Amino acid sequence: MNTTRYGCPKPDVSAYATEQAAGYAAKRVQIPVGKLLTPYLCACDWWHLSGTPRAVQSPAGLTPRPGDGLLLKDASYDLLVEVARHDVRGTGSREEALALRHPNNLTPWRRALKDLWSDVEQQFAARADDTSEDARLWRARAQVYRSVIAERRNEAQLRVSRAASLTAEQRYRWRCAEAAAVQGQDTEDLADVVELFTPLVVAA
């Protein structure tokens, strides 16, 4: 088959001129596909998307440090819900993910996830009798979205439990480190305080 992508072994798949464009496309199709695809440079010098998982740290593996919660300090609840929605969809930034998982934001994050869950459940109920093709495709995408929310809720609960296990001394050291970070001071000498906020293994 003739193609403008000379020598392409997969001429029928979508192609992108740059890695950045392919990365944007991967995010757009993450929900319908059910996973984040990986851009790769083909022999034809165009970028394609592969189902091979990315070698990147999952949000559940992030370790928030003192000061990481400042991004959402004084943020409205509506804004926090939007950030949580981006995190579920895989379209948020690393900074936003760290801010959500910061101990100061765990309670509102859990509330936001509960509201996102309730919202999608209401949508499922509203479309329960819809047998159209559009509804079928929506349910397929929404089931992936709902499963990610469930994973995030599980992660949030584990982080809350981990935070609750801090001793009084550890809580004091964390507050000191947080105050130092807010003032722009070095917190390396207090690094051990984050040991109980290390990456978590979250059940899928």
Side-chain angles (χ1 to χ4, degrees):
M1 177 179 179
N2 291 329
T3 171
T4 56
R5 305 198 307 268
Y6 180 75
C8 182
K10 296 183 178 180
D12 297 326
V13 304
S14 298
Y16 308 91
T18 65
E19 182 179 12
Q20 183 179 39
Y24 288 149
K27 289 183 178 180
R28 285 197 303 272
V29 301
Q30 179 178 4
I31 294 300
V33 171
K35 60 182 176 181
L36 186 60
L37 301 179
T38 305
Y40 72 93
L41 185 61
C42 181
C44 67
D45 288 330
W46 286 71
W47 290 84
H48 299 316
L49 296 176
S50 168
T52 303
R54 292 174 175 268
V56 297
Q57 190 178 38
S58 67
L62 293 176
T63 302
R65 296 185 64 84
D68 283 343
L70 292 177
L71 184 66
L72 294 176
K73 187 178 185 298
D74 300 324
S76 68
Y77 180 67
D78 287 344
L79 176 59
L80 191 140
V81 170
E82 192 61 24
V83 172
R85 182 180 288 110
H86 291 166
D87 185 75
V88 168
R89 290 177 174 169
T91 58
S93 68
R94 185 175 187 276
E95 290 73 21
E96 289 173 339
L98 284 166
L100 287 172
R101 291 160 175 80
H102 188 275
N104 290 356
N105 298 324
L106 289 177
T107 297
W109 182 38
R110 289 180 68 200
R111 177 187 167 196
L113 290 170
K114 181 179 179 181
D115 287 346
L116 291 178
W117 177 270
S118 297
D119 179 62
V120 75
E121 286 295 290
Q122 290 172 7
Q123 292 182 57
F124 268 107
R127 306 185 72 164
D129 298 327
D130 190 342
T131 59
S132 67
E133 180 64 10
D134 284 346
R136 187 189 69 80
L137 293 173
W138 176 85
R139 276 191 285 272
R141 294 193 300 269
Q143 285 170 358
V144 175
Y145 177 70
R146 181 171 59 179
S147 70
V148 177
I149 295 176
E151 290 177 7
R152 294 293 191 271
R153 294 183 74 184
N154 184 33
E155 177 196 345
Q157 180 57 52
L158 287 172
R159 288 183 182 273
V160 168
S161 298
R162 184 72 63 86
S165 70
L166 286 169
T167 66
E169 180 180 355
Q170 288 168 329
R171 290 177 189 277
Y172 173 74
R173 288 181 62 77
W174 176 268
R175 287 196 299 270
C176 290
E178 186 70 21
V182 169
Q183 296 174 15
Q185 299 175 6
D186 183 28
T187 61
E188 286 305 312
D189 59 330
L190 298 172
D192 63 306
V193 80
V194 302
E195 288 180 358
L196 291 181
F197 299 101
T198 51
L200 302 173
V201 176
V202 180

